[in-house]
């Protein structure tokens, strides 16, 4: 058995750019906008005349944690602060104005405000996406505007966020009947842990192949397998190949720089399609020995990747459905998919390559494999037709597949459509493919419609339930 070890990695953080300070005007509807000196002393346990234990609004902070989220377009962001108190907080139907709390981030020696958008009590350190969020509990969730310029939790590597954020209550909180719930005070609390839902469910590991080359990876195990290690249930395996920007030694940004791996591990997706998710990361210094200078086609990397997949399947033979191995990826990961499929055409049940490129001559080997490819027509990094390093892009590869005998169903639409419209177009293309008995689909995104950068075609790919449902329907 090959050596597989686990390593913990540092998660976290964000940049800092000045944004407007939070106003306290809205707090007037809930209670006094500021606490008196005596009240502040009492809430801090320092007042000589008032015993804090007798003050119903005395509720000390026990800990403060950051809550982050991997988003489709803006990568990894700090989206909330979870403040845990000694006692349960019950607003009795009231609400807390955002202006009652002030949040500031100090990163790289610079301090800047974060914009508070919602505040509500909770029983857990999680963001509540409902229109009327929250329930009585011992935590307050202070949501932050993800569009703040200093919202990011990572650059090329995770940023150090330990104690980088401060949270201070600047206005009293009362029930609709005027009863005190939390008093403002002069002291701020600083964050300890950084929590990233879904990402935190991936374990960190490493694999050294028979040639001595090491690949770090992250692994998500389906809940049924975790609860019952002896279960005979077989699950699909999704292998994710990151892009060139995620080549690093942090064993983190292959999860947090985009939602390729995370989308398959969300509670909603796992309820529909429980699966193992294996997300390796190429190390630094970046190998560049591949035939066209890319990472996943590097001979050492590709050999280690293949051996990692084989070893994982062998070690989990009781629980991996070998007829449902899927490979997905973007940019140089898309390049890796075309190369891997051609070299191992009998292993994978389906693939999702986005903004990739490859070898026309090898397409005849993979005409039998279900593929749903997509690419922005105006991609400047990996041109839609020409590709990179003399290897053609997706448009040319799809033509080569068709010439080799595969039926290719094509569709073009804007990449900035609302989710419902985007999925409706995908569903229509899938119907066309079914009518034509085609298992190769190709989505092109109209020039000027891919947000942020035309290369980032994948922003909606992995949010598209139609595409992901299609993937899990495939079997060898």
């Amino acid at each position: 058995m090959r050596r597989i070890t686990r390593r913990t990695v540092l998660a976290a953080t964000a940049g800092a750019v000045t944004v407007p300070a939070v106003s306290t005007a809205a707090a007037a509807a809930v209670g006094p906008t500021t606490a008196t000196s005596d009240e502040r002393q009492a809430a801090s346990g320092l007042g000589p005349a008032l015993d804090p234990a007798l003050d119903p609004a005395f509720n000390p902070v026990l800990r403060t944690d950051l809550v982050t989220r991997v988003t489709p377009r803006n990568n990894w962001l700090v989206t909330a602060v979870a403040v845990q108190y000694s006692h349960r907080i019950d607003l009795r139907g009231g609400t807390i104005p955002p202006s009652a709390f002030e949040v500031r981030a100090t990163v790289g020696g610079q301090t800047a405000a974060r914009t508070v958008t919602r505040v509500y009590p909770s029983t857990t350190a999680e963001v509540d996406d409902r229109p009327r969020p929250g329930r009585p509990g011992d935590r307050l969730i202070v949501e932050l505007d993800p569009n703040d310029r200093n919202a990011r939790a990572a650059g090329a590597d995770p940023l150090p966020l330990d104690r980088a954020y401060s949270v201070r209550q600047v206005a009293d909180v009362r029930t609709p009947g005027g009863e005190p719930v939390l008093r403002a005070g002069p002291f701020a609390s600083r964050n300890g842990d950084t929590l990233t839902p879904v990402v935190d469910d991936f374990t960190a590991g490493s694999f050294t192949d028979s040639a001595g080359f090491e690949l770090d990876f992250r692994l998500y195990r389906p809940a049924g397998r975790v609860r019952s290690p002896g279960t005979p249930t077989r699950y699909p395996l999704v292998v994710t190949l990151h892009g060139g920007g995620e080549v690093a030694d942090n064993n983190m940004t292959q999860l947090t720089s985009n939602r390729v791996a995370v989308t398959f591990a969300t509670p909603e997706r796992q309820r529909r399609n429980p699966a193992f998710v294996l997300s390796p990361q190429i190390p630094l210094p970046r190998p560049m020995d591949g035939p066209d200078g890319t990472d996943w086609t590097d001979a050492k990397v590709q050999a280690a990747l293949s051996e990692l997949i084989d070893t994982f399947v062998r070690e989990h033979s009781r629980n991996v459905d070998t007829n449902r191995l899927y490979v997905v990826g973007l940019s140089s990961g898309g390049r890796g998919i075309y190369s891997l499929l051609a070299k191992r055409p009998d292993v994978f049940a389906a693939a999702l390559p986005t903004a990739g490129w490859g070898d026309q001559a090898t397409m005849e080997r993979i005409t039998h494999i279900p593929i749903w490819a997509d690419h922005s027509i105006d991609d400047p990094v990996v041109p839609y037709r020409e590709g990179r390093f003399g290897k053609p892009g997706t448009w040319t590869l799809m033509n080569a597949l068709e010439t080799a005998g595969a039926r290719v169903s094509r569709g073009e639409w804007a990449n900035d459509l609302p989710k419902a419209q985007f999925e409706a177009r995908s569903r229509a293309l899938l119907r066309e493919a079914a009518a034509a008995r085609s298992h190769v689909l190709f989505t092109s995104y109209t020039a000027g419609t891919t947000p942020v950068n035309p290369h980032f075609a994948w922003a909606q790919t992995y949010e598209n339930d139609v595409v992901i449902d299609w993937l899990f329907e495939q079997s060898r």
Side-chain angles (χ1 to χ4, degrees):
M1 183 177 72
R2 304 296 176 200
R3 179 175 65 86
I4 299 182
T5 61
R6 292 182 185 163
R7 306 191 299 209
T8 56
V9 293
L10 175 67
T13 79
V17 179
T18 301
V19 296
V22 179
S23 167
T24 61
V30 180
T33 57
T34 58
T36 66
S37 176
D38 288 343
E39 287 172 332
R40 288 198 299 267
Q41 288 180 333
S44 305
L46 302 176
L50 180 62
D51 182 351
L54 302 178
D55 183 357
F58 179 68
N59 197 351
V61 172
L62 298 181
R63 64 177 296 117
T64 300
D65 298 311
L66 300 185
V67 181
T68 65
R69 177 179 290 187
V70 181
T71 62
R73 293 194 176 95
N74 296 317
N75 300 324
W76 193 19
L77 306 176
V78 179
T79 55
V81 179
V83 184
Q84 184 177 8
Y85 290 82
S86 299
H87 313 299
R88 183 172 177 266
I89 300 166
D90 188 351
L91 300 175
R92 300 182 187 178
T95 59
I96 302 175
S99 56
F101 284 82
E102 177 184 88
V103 178
R104 302 182 69 80
T106 302
V107 180
Q110 296 184 349
T111 299
R114 288 294 309 271
T115 306
V116 178
T117 58
R118 299 198 300 181
V119 183
Y120 47 87
S122 176
T123 57
T124 60
E126 298 177 323
V127 170
D128 187 341
D129 291 322
R130 296 177 300 175
R132 293 180 60 83
R135 65 187 65 183
D138 64 350
R139 289 175 173 85
L140 276 187
I141 305 302
V142 182
E143 286 192 31
L144 305 172
D145 189 344
N147 296 311
D148 285 347
R149 293 180 61 190
N150 58 341
R152 290 178 66 90
D157 289 303
L159 299 168
L161 278 182
D162 184 37
R163 296 181 295 278
Y165 273 60
S166 67
V167 184
R168 187 167 76 92
Q169 184 180 341
V170 296
D172 287 349
V173 173
R174 297 178 182 272
T175 67
E179 299 172 55
V181 177
L182 291 172
R183 295 200 186 280
F187 301 112
S189 62
R190 287 199 173 271
N191 69 286
D193 288 346
T194 299
L195 312 175
T196 305
V198 183
V199 170
D200 290 340
D201 296 328
F202 282 76
T203 59
S206 66
F207 172 75
T208 303
D209 72 1
S210 55
F213 188 82
E214 184 177 15
L215 280 181
D216 281 348
F217 65 83
R218 286 285 183 142
L219 172 65
Y220 180 89
R221 294 179 176 87
R225 172 64 172 74
V226 173
R227 286 193 302 266
S228 304
T231 179
T233 303
R234 293 180 179 272
Y235 301 96
L237 169 64
V238 180
V239 179
T240 71
L241 303 186
H242 62 71
E246 290 77 64
V247 176
D249 290 325
N250 53 50
N251 204 0
M252 176 60 77
T253 53
Q254 78 268 36
L255 300 183
T256 57
S257 285
N258 48 64
R259 285 177 59 86
V260 173
V262 169
T263 194
F264 293 99
T266 62
E268 299 79 12
R269 177 51 60 181
Q270 283 287 319
R271 281 194 291 270
R272 293 168 71 166
N273 302 107
F276 290 97
V277 185
L278 181 63
S279 187
Q281 183 179 48
I282 298 172
L284 291 170
R286 26 183 346 131
M288 294 294 280
D289 295 335
D292 53 5
T294 61
D295 300 307
W296 290 110
T297 57
D298 176 275
K300 298 184 295 296
V301 171
Q302 198 166 78
L305 173 63
S306 291
E307 198 170 324
L308 167 61
I309 295 170
D310 291 344
T311 302
F312 182 85
V313 171
R314 184 174 66 249
E315 293 299 310
H316 296 78
S317 59
R318 182 181 177 87
N319 296 123
V320 172
D321 183 350
T322 54
N323 288 321
R324 299 179 69 200
L325 305 187
Y326 308 119
V327 59
V328 305
L330 55 88
S331 193
S332 68
R335 168 65 178 122
I337 288 174
Y338 291 119
S339 176
L340 190 63
L341 293 182
K343 290 180 179 177
R344 308 197 65 183
D346 299 321
V347 172
F348 297 97
L352 297 179
T354 298
W357 69 101
D359 297 297
Q360 284 176 277
T362 64
M363 292 299 101
E364 62 182 6
R365 303 177 198 167
I366 64 173
T367 56
H368 63 289
I369 301 175
I371 295 172
W372 196 326
D374 57 339
H375 208 134
S376 299
I377 291 174
D378 55 342
D379 187 337
V381 178
V382 181
Y384 175 73
R385 298 170 183 260
E386 296 81 8
R388 296 193 78 186
F389 304 114
K391 305 293 183 182
T394 309
W395 183 85
T396 308
L397 294 180
M398 294 299 106
N399 289 344
L401 268 174
E402 202 160 43
T403 299
R407 291 190 178 96
V408 180
S409 297
R410 295 174 171 83
E412 179 186 334
W413 55 81
N415 203 9
D416 55 0
L417 292 176
K419 178 178 172 64
Q421 294 180 33
F422 193 97
E423 291 186 347
R425 298 297 297 269
S426 300
R427 199 172 291 110
L429 180 60
L430 191 55
R431 286 195 298 269
E432 292 177 18
R437 296 187 178 181
S438 167
H439 57 254
V440 179
L441 298 92
F442 175 34
T443 304
S444 301
Y445 300 123
T446 305
T449 66
T450 298
V452 184
N453 184 306
H455 182 51
F456 298 169
W458 51 85
Q460 290 225 55
T461 303
Y462 297 96
E463 307 305 301
N464 188 336
D465 289 328
V466 176
V467 171
I468 305 302
D469 288 345
W470 170 88
L471 180 75
F472 279 107
E473 290 169 359
Q474 309 309 311
S475 181
R476 286 196 303 129

